[in-house]
Every structure is written in structure tokens, then in C-alpha cells.
Amino acid sequence: MSKPFEKHVKDRPYAKPEAAAARLLEIAKTIGSDRRGMIPIGAWNATFLDRDKANVAEYTLGRDHLIASGLIEMDGSGGYIMWGPNCAPADRTEMSAELKFPAASLGLK
């Protein structure tokens, strides 16, 4: 018999730092860097938080895991990420000529 106030909570797919980091890296590769080698952080975190329905704690765990592993670096302004020294050249992608804005990736106009 269950307790009267017992809640059934779904497992969070990005609760582990490795899972969150893998998804954030996949998003960064999809967005790609601009000609300066920078990826806009707004597009990156909006996709993870809004489309993937992750929370800020999962985002922070994944981001910090990527930084610690040297796969990404944060720009001094905090508005961009860059490929880190441990990111394989084959994994570094450039932004396509047609920019992908977060609203478009979320199906919004």
C-alpha cells in the first residue's frame, strides 16, 4: 500500500553531469561557431533548457563538466563559449550561412 502523500517523480535524463555534458556538446556542434570561433550562449542554453526541458542545475553541471574536461571555454563576457584545447578538430563545427536562432529551433516565430 502506498503512502497517502507519496509522489511519483520521473527520472531526469540530464541529472548526471556526463549526460548533461554530452547533450550540451551535441547542441554546440549543431549550432556551430561563428567566424571568430564563438558560439552564442543564448542559443546553446535555450535549446537545452526550453526544448529539452532541463533545469538550471543540470545545465550548470553539464557546462562545468565540459569546461573541466577542456572541451569548451567560456568567453570573458559570458555571452559566448569557444571550443577548448581538448576538443578534437573533427568535432569543431562552423555555423552555417543560414543562422539558427533559438526561436527557430524551438518552432517559434
Side-chain angles (χ1 to χ4, degrees):
M1 188 167 160
S2 66
K3 297 176 186 174
F5 296 107
E6 187 175 301
K7 290 186 178 182
H8 298 280
V9 180
K10 293 182 183 178
D11 289 333
R12 303 285 308 173
Y14 305 115
K16 294 186 179 181
E18 298 82 11
R23 178 61 182 139
L24 285 168
L25 190 60
E26 182 182 329
I27 293 167
K29 289 178 187 178
T30 301
I31 296 170
S33 59
D34 63 12
R35 57 188 158 83
R36 300 171 298 163
M38 298 181 158
I39 301 167
I41 204 158
W44 191 52
N45 64 24
T47 303
F48 188 70
L49 296 172
D50 296 336
R51 189 176 67 190
D52 293 347
K53 303 294 184 215
N55 62 38
V56 175
E58 294 165 338
Y59 167 78
T60 304
L61 283 173
R63 182 200 62 202
D64 292 348
H65 187 75
L66 288 173
I67 292 170
S69 63
L71 294 174
I72 66 163
E73 296 176 342
M74 292 289 294
D75 178 53
S77 69
Y80 297 92
I81 58 170
M82 302 165 287
W83 300 116
N86 295 338
C87 186
D91 288 338
R92 299 172 187 223
T93 56
E94 297 283 326
M95 210 177 268
S96 65
E98 179 184 314
L99 294 177
K100 298 176 183 175
F101 293 99
S105 69
L106 297 172
L108 306 172
K109 293 184 180 186

